[in-house]
Amino acid sequence: MSLTSTVTDHARIITVNADRIDAAMAIQFKEDMRTETEGGPDRVILDLSTVKFIDSSGLGAIVASMKQLEANRNLDLAGLTPVVDKVFRLTRMDTVFNLFPSLDDALAATADH
Amino acid sequence: MTEIGKQGKFALSFRATELEARSGICAVAQELRLQGVSEETAGDIEIALAEAINNIVEHAYAGVEPGRIRVICSFQQSRLDIRISDKGVPLPAGELPKGAPAIITENKQDLPEGGFGWFLIRQLTSDIRYDRLNGHNRLSMGFDLT
C-alpha cells in the first residue's frame, strides 16, 4: 500500500508512504487513492510533504484521483515540496486544486468553512 | 557555483523498464547534486530527464522487449548537456513534439491526465535537439547552470 489515511470530523487525511510519485508507481497510487477515499468525509486532504519528486505520470494520477471522487467531494493538497510545487505551477494544475503549505494549514482552513 | 564549471562527464545505461528508469533517473540526479548543482536546478533537470526517459519506456520501446537507454551528462563551463539514446522506434514524424501546454478546463471531468511531458521538457531546458542516427534515437537537452 502506497498510502495511509486517517479520518477527522471534517476530512479524510491521506499520507503518501513514498518519496516519489512517478511513472513506476502512478497506477498503484491511483488505485490506492480509490480505496482510501471510499466513503468518509466529503473533504479529502492529500498530504504530499513526504514526496520529493513527481513526474507527469504522477501528476496525472493525482488529477485522476480527484476526478474519481463523487462530484460533491473535494481533493485538497498540502505540503508540496519544491519540485512537486514546480510541476503543479508549470502545468497550471495549481489553479485546479486548493493548495496549502502544510497539513496544519489545510486543517486550519476547515474551521473557516 | 564556480566548482560546477569543471569539465566533467559521466554516463550510465539501464534497461527501459519503469523500475530501472527510476533508478537511472535517481542516480543522475544524485550525481548532479554531488557535483555541486544547486538543489533547484537539479530538481528541474530531474523533471526534464524523467519525462524524456519515461517517453522512451512508454513509446520508443512500446510493445517490444525493453532495450537499453544510455544517458551521458557533460559539464561545459556553466552548462550541462544531457544526451539520451535508445534503439526504439523514432519519434512520430521524426521530429520533436511541439509540447503545447495542457488545456485546463472548467469542468473537472475534462481535465487532462497526461500530455504534460514535452511541455515540461521544453519549459525546463535551454535548448533541445533530436536526431535519428543509424537506428538510434538521440535526444540532447541543454541546461544553464548559472
Side-chain angles (χ1 to χ4, degrees), chain B:
Chain B
M1 294 289 286
T2 46
E3 65 274 22
I4 308 167
K6 61 182 138 184
Q7 300 286 327
K9 192 168 180 171
F10 64 94
L12 73 164
S13 81
F14 46 88
R15 234 158 50 93
T17 65
E18 286 178 342
L19 287 175
E20 289 197 33
R22 173 195 279 167
S23 305
I25 293 158
C26 289
V28 171
Q30 188 182 14
E31 183 62 25
L32 293 176
R33 290 180 174 104
L34 284 174
Q35 301 243 3
V37 175
S38 74
E39 197 57 37
E40 186 184 355
T41 304
D44 289 355
I45 296 168
E46 186 172 2
I47 297 166
L49 181 71
E51 297 305 331
I53 289 174
N54 290 342
N55 280 334
I56 297 170
V57 174
E58 287 167 34
H59 303 297
Y61 290 120
V64 297
E65 178 72 12
R68 293 196 81 75
I69 298 175
R70 185 168 171 76
V71 180
I72 303 172
C73 299
S74 324
F75 289 98
Q76 278 145 6
Q77 289 159 353
S78 61
R79 207 186 120 83
L80 173 71
D81 183 63
I82 300 186
R83 269 189 301 165
I84 308 171
S85 51
D86 65 80
K87 290 188 190 179
V89 297
L91 283 174
E95 57 185 50
L96 285 167
K98 293 219 162 24
I103 309 287
I104 303 298
T105 53
E106 279 291 316
N107 185 341
K108 288 189 174 184
Q109 289 304 322
D110 295 333
L111 284 169
E113 295 173 29
F116 311 110
W118 286 106
F119 173 74
L120 287 170
I121 292 171
R122 288 189 179 277
Q123 291 289 308
L124 295 167
T125 52
S126 57
D127 55 84
I128 176 170
R129 183 192 156 99
Y130 169 74
D131 297 294
R132 178 80 183 177
L133 289 169
N134 305 321
H136 289 69
N137 294 311
R138 193 173 68 185
L139 182 71
S140 303
M141 301 190 293
F143 299 90
D144 190 356
L145 301 177
T146 52

Side-chain angles (χ1 to χ4, degrees), chain A residues 42-54:
Chain A
D42 287 348
R43 186 178 189 216
V44 178
I45 304 169
L46 179 63
D47 181 1
L48 291 168
S49 56
T50 58
V51 180
K52 304 297 178 226
F53 182 81
I54 192 168

